[in-house]
């Protein structure tokens, strides 16, 4: 499964394919990251969909004002 790290610098980093959360976390530290949140590919897709939908809804709301 592909894992990502939301780092303390506000950026999201692709950690690559790992067998579990611990391996992904170890990888983040090997990359000298200081993650505040680890997420798997499914959670990342959920975040992306939510953000895209919120942008769309906000733009639609602003157009009606």
């Amino acid at each position: 499964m592909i894992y990502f790290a939301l780092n303390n610098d506000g950026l999201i980093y692709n950690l690559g394919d790992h067998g579990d959360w611990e391996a992904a976390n170890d990888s983040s530290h090997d990359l000298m990251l200081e993650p505040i949140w680890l997420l798997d590919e499914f959670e990342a897709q959920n975040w992306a969909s939510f953000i895209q939908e919120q942008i769309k809804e906000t733009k639609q709301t602003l157009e009606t004002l």
Side-chain angles (χ1 to χ4, degrees), residues 6-61:
L6 172 59
N7 200 43
N8 67 347
D9 62 6
L11 299 176
I12 296 176
Y13 293 85
N14 183 343
L15 300 175
D17 190 8
H18 296 283
D20 58 25
W21 292 98
E22 278 189 29
N25 189 49
D26 290 345
S27 178
S28 72
H29 293 292
D30 291 344
L31 295 169
M32 307 295 278
L33 299 175
E34 295 182 27
I36 57 175
W37 197 270
L38 291 180
L39 52 155
D40 64 29
E41 61 191 85
F42 300 113
E43 192 171 6
Q45 289 172 340
N46 186 29
W47 283 23
S49 295
F50 176 79
I51 291 167
Q52 290 173 344
E53 186 60 34
Q54 291 301 305
I55 291 170
K56 180 180 173 184
E57 287 179 16
T58 301
K59 285 184 177 183
Q60 289 174 342
T61 300

